[in-house]
Amino acid sequence: MAYQLLNGKEISAQIKSEIAEEVRQIIRNGGKQPHLAAILIGNDGASETYVAHKIKACEQAGFKSSLFRFKENISEQKLLDKIKEINADDNIDGLIVQLPLPEHISEEKVIETVDPKKDVDGFHPVNAGRMTLGLPTYIPATPKGILELLKRNNIEISGKHCVIIGRSNIVGKPLSILLSQKNETGNATVTLCHSRTKNLKEISLQADILIAAIGKKEFLTADMVKKDAIVIDVGIHRVKSDKTKSGWKLKGDVKFGEVAGKCSYITPVPGGVGPMTIVSLLQNTLAASKKEIYG
Ligand code: NAD
């Protein structure tokens, strides 16, 4: 059977235009334009690109956005003060602080300083706790985007064996909770694998839905995938290329060329999970602006 691509680029464009239509409606009715603030520290190439994509997506959806840039050597206190200032700014609905942070700044303190009401990344312990309990919250953008991608492709999750490789706080761990939740986007049997998993291939071969969030280029090979599995590739790796204008091309955690032929569905990189992540951030920001979660 030929595989089908889970086209995140197309679906995210569709969702973005649905959001843009809703925003036009809100503004026509005299409501507030959603406003996302982003903090970017330093000049890391990947972080620059991610933030630029998020800001561009805001423009496309009719949101206001504000980018606050700081040098690599900003003090932790100055950063925390800025976050508190944004927390208190009634015009701003959502705040993201692009990770990773420089080593002298505590990620934990930064995440805990963002007001949970504005934490559209869903990283604050209050929002992570609410997610774990199945309460309304901001779901982290990448897991949220993956669930939406499955849903919009009518892929049944209930009763499936989902194997996730990678236990990060922003992707693997929240996904393991969401997929095992007792609701319409959950009800799966979930196995969460990580760097200490001993029999990885034995487990991955059992997966109906296999999610690679490992951070290692083309780690997942065809011999690790069951025939007709659904494969979701979260990885993003920039590799040099003389075939593209930018001089770079993107690869995932999955060796697409050999894995795709074994799958029923697979996400491409680029154009799979990445654009779904960005549109999920827009959905969370819109929810914040409409005060859907915390009133
Ligand atoms: P991470 O890089 O923080 O952690 C990697 C995880 O993989 C760890 O939990 C580790 O236990 C596991 N791992 C490492 N080596 C392993 C091995 N040999 N066997 C089994 N497990 C192993 O994870 P992350 O932040 O979720 O990022 C993973 C990848 O996803 C990266 O390439 C990142 O750039 C990408 N990413 C993409 C998006 C997107 O929007 N598409 C969003 C976030 C992250």
Side-chain angles (χ1 to χ4, degrees), residues 4-30:
Q4 286 190 48
L5 276 185
L6 294 170
N7 193 331
K9 195 174 167 192
E10 211 172 276
I11 292 173
S12 67
Q14 198 180 320
I15 298 173
K16 217 185 292 169
S17 73
E18 291 164 12
I19 296 173
E21 180 47 39
E22 189 174 343
V23 170
R24 277 193 291 273
Q25 191 72 40
I26 290 170
I27 293 170
R28 263 201 299 273
N29 295 339

Side-chain angles (χ1 to χ4, degrees), residues 2 121 146 152 194 202 219 251 253 267 294:
D121 264 333
I146 292 171
R152 293 216 180 203
H194 46 77
E202 198 181 301
F219 177 93
K251 293 268 178 198
D253 284 352
T267 59
Y294 286 99

Side-chain angles (χ1 to χ4, degrees), residues 14-149:
Q14 198 180 320
I15 298 173
K16 217 185 292 169
S17 73
E18 291 164 12
I19 296 173
E21 180 47 39
E22 189 174 343
V23 170
R24 277 193 291 273
Q25 191 72 40
I26 290 170
I27 293 170
R28 263 201 299 273
N29 295 339
K32 182 186 171 302
Q33 183 185 26
H35 184 176
L36 176 70
I39 295 181
L40 174 60
I41 297 157
N43 298 93
D44 174 70
S47 293
E48 294 258 7
T49 309
Y50 297 146
V51 170
H53 283 150
K54 292 170 188 174
I55 299 286
K56 189 172 162 208
C58 282
E59 276 168 26
Q60 291 168 334
F63 290 12
K64 186 175 175 188
S65 63
S66 300
L67 174 59
F68 300 97
R69 296 198 65 139
F70 296 99
K71 294 215 171 85
E72 185 86 17
N73 63 0
I74 182 180
S75 71
E76 184 179 272
Q77 194 51 54
K78 202 168 162 213
L79 176 61
L80 298 180
D81 289 345
K82 185 68 199 178
I83 293 172
K84 287 177 195 159
E85 188 189 309
I86 295 172
N87 285 344
D89 184 339
D90 287 340
N91 188 261
I92 294 175
D93 304 300
L95 166 62
I96 55 167
V97 183
Q98 186 64 42
L99 303 178
L101 298 169
E103 272 189 9
H104 67 280
I105 297 176
S106 155
E107 192 175 293
E108 210 175 287
K109 270 195 206 164
V110 165
I111 288 173
E112 288 194 38
T113 302
V114 175
D115 183 341
K117 295 188 184 74
K118 298 195 179 186
D119 169 42
V120 287
D121 264 333
F123 294 164
H124 192 285
V126 167
N127 286 323
R130 292 178 66 92
M131 182 200 68
T132 305
L133 296 172
L135 298 171
T137 188
Y138 302 113
I139 308 246
T142 302
K144 183 177 167 77
I146 292 171
L147 296 185
E148 188 74 26
L149 193 58

